[in-house]
Amino acid sequence: MPPKGLHVASNPRVNVLRVCSKLVKPPNGLDRRRYISAYGYTQAKALVYSRYGEPSDVLRLHTHSISPSHSTQLTLRLLAAPLNPADINQLQGTYPTRPTFTSTLGTPYPSAVGGNEGVAEVLSTGGGVKTVGKGDWVVMKHTGAGTWRTHMQTDESSVVKIEDRSGVTEIQVGTVSVNPCTAWRLLRGFGGLGEGDWWVQNGANSGVGRAAIQFGKLWGLKSINVVRDRPGIEGLKEELRELGADVVVTKEELMKPGFGDRVKEWTNGGREKVKLGLNCVSGKNATAIAKVLDEDACLVTYGAMAKQPLHLPTGLLIFKNIRFEGFWVSRWSDRYPEEKRRTVEEILQLTREGKFRDAPMQEVRWDWDTKEEVLKEAVQGTLEGFRKGKGIFVFGDT
């Protein structure tokens, strides 16, 4: 039997003793408990997978130990990590990038950790770390970090420090890197939009769509927003208008004959130009979006939720000279890490000023004793139809 106050680590592959340190209460008041072994090893849990498939079939909760930080390493405790559609696609094996399966965490089979986005607190640093310190908040610089876990160890070069934590929550910081950054780059990087110009998007109720509506309004742009029909659609339309949307229509309205005439009415008889289209759906929906664009406009595709190809009438290319481009926030983040850092800070500043609201969230608390099935069900639930908000793990007593 171990001495009183000591507990054998729950991972049978790691023969260390675990000591429960005193309860740590961070500034936001959430109770967090650190589990440190007698030899300085941090105990951690992670949602891992060793093959591709549906989340409920392939995810497993794995307990392991993290050795003390050295050199330029950081030991992190995750604070919040969202469940994004791209995360699910990665689990299913349909995403363009696939993680490397390894045995680093001591799993029975080579595995990867789910999740790409999140915010973490620095617990400890190696002797060579220069840019961050204990207690700092950081977000991941690149995708593929594996954020669905209580703790992790990574190199200093792999994170972006949040310089100012005031006035923002863990959830706001933990969800800033993907959807808001995507919306920011789509409106800033394509179409050459200026104050008073129009743009149109489908998927307007998504995280990217809601962020784009708000940024566009702040920058003096006008928007046409397409959403799926659903119970309570008028309430949703009003909600998006309150965020800054000028026009909100359903997919069914978009597809009806004469929709182009309605666009002319909204744009002062067509004298105000629709210069940019944002597409995350593809299929016939995107084709209809492209048809309302003016000459020399640009349609940017950043998703394909309908899982259908993008059909483009030849006339849009020949006679209207419309450009069709793609955007992948992961590639942008990898190629331009400093630009990502600046974008994150600017968005968080808008949040502090009350000028940007994060999308609705469905929080899933993750404590040390949270069961595997609870976590797996939360991930699987992201595949359901109309939801009240984006799923996000909020780490409590870990």
Side-chain angles (χ1 to χ4, degrees):
M1 293 290 291
K4 186 178 181 180
L6 295 181
H7 308 275
V8 178
S10 58
N11 182 358
R13 296 173 62 89
V14 183
N15 186 23
V16 298
L17 297 177
R18 188 171 70 200
V19 179
C20 295
S21 70
K22 66 180 181 179
L23 190 64
V24 179
K25 290 189 176 182
N28 66 359
L30 285 176
D31 288 345
R32 305 200 189 282
R33 193 184 307 274
R34 289 183 58 197
Y35 293 95
I36 307 297
S37 79
Y39 305 101
Y41 283 69
T42 299
Q43 299 300 294
K45 291 187 177 183
L47 273 180
V48 302
Y49 59 107
S50 56
R51 59 187 176 88
Y52 298 111
E54 293 306 305
S56 58
D57 296 330
V58 301
L59 285 174
R60 297 291 181 268
L61 186 60
H62 173 69
T63 304
H64 64 102
S65 296
I66 298 176
S67 61
S69 301
H70 64 86
S71 185
T72 58
Q73 290 181 336
L74 308 172
T75 299
L76 308 176
R77 176 173 61 207
L78 273 295
L79 304 177
L83 315 178
N84 289 313
D87 302 329
I88 310 304
N89 295 152
Q90 203 165 53
L91 288 174
Q92 295 168 328
T94 59
Y95 202 63
T97 58
R98 297 188 175 190
T100 301
F101 289 167
T102 74
S103 299
T104 305
L105 302 184
T107 50
Y109 304 98
S111 303
V113 180
N116 289 281
E117 185 182 21
V119 59
E121 176 189 5
V122 178
L123 288 183
S124 62
T125 65
V129 174
K130 304 296 183 185
T131 60
V132 298
K134 183 178 179 180
D136 285 342
W137 284 9
V138 296
V139 297
M140 307 306 129
K141 185 177 290 185
H142 308 290
T143 56
T147 54
W148 295 350
R149 47 178 148 187
T150 61
H151 304 75
M152 65 184 294
Q153 193 167 82
T154 190
D155 193 81
E156 174 187 18
S157 63
S158 299
V159 301
V160 176
K161 177 183 174 181
I162 301 302
E163 298 293 345
D164 183 4
R165 286 167 41 183
S166 65
V168 290
T169 67
E170 296 168 326
I171 290 177
Q172 289 167 335
V173 177
T175 56
V176 72
S177 299
V178 175
N179 290 337
C181 282
T182 297
W184 186 283
R185 286 307 309 153
L186 289 171
L187 292 181
R188 287 294 203 203
F190 300 91
L193 299 176
E195 188 170 355
D197 287 335
W198 285 83
W199 59 281
V200 57
Q201 68 168 340
N202 53 30
N205 190 41
S206 67
V208 173
R210 285 172 167 262
I213 287 170
Q214 295 177 76
F215 296 148
K217 193 67 174 181
L218 283 172
W219 301 332
L221 309 177
K222 300 176 183 178
S223 63
I224 301 168
N225 301 272
V226 182
V227 297
R228 290 180 294 169
D229 198 3
R230 67 197 70 198
I233 184 62
E234 292 305 320
L236 174 60
K237 286 184 175 183
E238 181 58 29
E239 185 180 344
L240 296 183
R241 284 192 288 263
E242 289 176 359
L243 286 179
D246 293 278
V247 177
V248 185
V249 298
T250 64
K251 179 184 70 173
E252 289 71 21
E253 291 177 271
L254 169 71
M255 304 302 294
K256 283 182 179 179
F259 184 75
D261 295 330
R262 296 181 67 188
V263 173
K264 285 185 178 180
E265 293 176 10
W266 299 325
T267 59
N268 193 19
R271 286 183 286 275
E272 298 171 4
K273 303 302 180 183
V274 183
K275 292 186 175 182
L276 178 66
L278 305 181
N279 167 44
C280 68
V281 177
S282 293
K284 295 180 179 180
N285 188 311
T287 305
I289 290 282
K291 288 180 178 179
V292 305
L293 297 175
D294 282 292
E295 287 186 16
D296 301 317
C298 179
L299 179 72
V300 186
T301 295
Y302 67 96
M305 291 192 296
K307 297 183 179 180
Q308 296 174 357
L310 181 60
H311 297 285
L312 304 175
T314 306
L316 297 182
L317 292 131
I318 299 174
F319 305 115
K320 297 185 75 173
N321 194 36
I322 293 177
R323 302 191 327 277
F324 296 91
E325 302 197 39
F327 179 77
W328 187 20
V329 71
S330 299
R331 179 185 290 121
W332 170 77
S333 298
D334 291 342
R335 288 183 177 178
Y336 309 104
E338 180 57 27
E339 187 175 352
K340 174 181 177 177
R341 185 195 64 79
R342 290 196 304 268
T343 303
V344 165
E345 291 295 348
E346 289 188 60
I347 295 171
L348 291 180
Q349 185 56 35
L350 290 176
T351 303
R352 294 183 190 98
E353 295 171 359
K355 297 178 180 178
F356 177 72
R357 284 188 277 169
D358 46 322
M361 299 287 170
Q362 286 187 300
E363 299 180 22
V364 180
R365 185 177 170 101
W366 183 338
D367 296 311
W368 183 261
D369 58 357
T370 298
K371 302 300 183 184
E372 176 183 294
E373 287 306 315
V374 173
L375 303 176
K376 290 168 61 174
E377 287 173 8
V379 178
Q380 187 70 35
T382 62
L383 299 174
E384 296 175 358
F386 303 117
R387 293 167 55 82
K388 294 180 180 179
K390 172 191 287 293
I392 183 169
F393 290 132
V394 178
F395 297 87
D397 180 5
T398 58

